[in-house]
Amino acid sequence: MIETWRWFGPLDDVTLPEIAQTGASGIVTALHDIPYGAVWPREAIAVRKAEIAAAPGNLHWAVVESLPVHEDIKRGEGDLSGLFARYRQSMANLAAEGIEVVCYNFMPLLDWTRTRLDAPLPAGGHALRFSSVEMAFFEVHMLGRDGAEADYPRDVLHAAASLDRTADEAERDRLLTAIMAGLPGAYARYDVAGLREALQPWAGFGADDLRATFRRFLDEVTPAAEELGLRLCVHPDDPPRPLLGLPRIVSNQDDIATALDMADSRANGLTLCAGSLGANPANDVPAIARRFAGRIHFAHLRNVAKEPDGSFQEAAHLEGDTDMPALIAALLDEEARRTAEGRADAQIPFRPDHGQALLSDLGRKTHPGYPLIGRMRGLAELRGVIAGLSYGGT
């Protein structure tokens, strides 16, 4: 397996020389400064690729995460021919620079959602957390979304009402900031009124509608990906459930099967995110990996600890609810199968996804969930599992 590391570009507080010291060789990044819907120029791709190659440690740009899908494409709104053409041109420019794996997601509005960015850990440090009670409090009492009560069980709504009576302005501001951290793009964020306005175009838009626009997206880009030798890989929903009245369509194995069947091509693949899928109690992540192994082009390896009310917290990589050795064994078996076929893409790139903020991570202004020490611990643990499973064959 190819060890990779997510880097948010020159503005990332974690530097390329630091990443080189973790032992990872592949960089997972994107041109985060380019607006959604615009072409990624080949020249800009080449500059970023050269910047990575010039760093110590023989680093290379291994995976694009993400080549974002414009919200108008997700809504199927207006004349989309220009947006699709520019997306295909960006793909062509990436392929021309030798980059073959492109991760993206099809989640409306928010890329991911947490309600706390610094949940304390028993031994010190902190982690990302999603609290169903805090999310219900936000949707029902702060946002005032019509119909939100129907999305939560009675005990969660009762606890959310209690929180509404006790939360001060500082706590409300902290919660809004945490939820807004999952917005895609550069640094634009909403206040409560702005979020209400941003949600308006999605009113009445359901899961079947989103599946229809996703199918259209795949029809538009998959043939080009095949010609270019690109492997597109959709990222699962995070968390894998509807939020804010927005539909989610890549949350479980049935969703994944539907998405992959929409374009039965190796160019239409999956980013196997153990943490996103692992937050759904119905998902057996190692079993999902084995079922869709042939279409997995990229893996995010992380773990979460789930709670009965739907809450979850980022766990250490070998802790939490997902059997990480069993998942890695499934990926190694797939690599062996590809190697036996003589495939050039036999090795699956993976990255230690997220990480608990530990030791000198505390106080650094890294992207939420992407500290240096916590991810390096995760990479070391995952590396050990891979070595152990590979000894003498899997």
Side-chain angles (χ1 to χ4, degrees), residues 176-189:
L176 176 64
T177 297
I179 292 171
M180 289 301 97
L183 276 170
Y187 304 104
R189 298 292 180 260

Side-chain angles (χ1 to χ4, degrees), residues 17 29 56 82 89 134 138 145 203 219 239 270 295 297 332 353 361:
T29 193
Q89 185 61 57
E134 289 182 329
F138 179 79
R145 180 175 70 83
D219 288 345
L270 174 67
R295 303 283 281 278
H297 302 320
L332 290 173
D353 194 16
D361 289 330

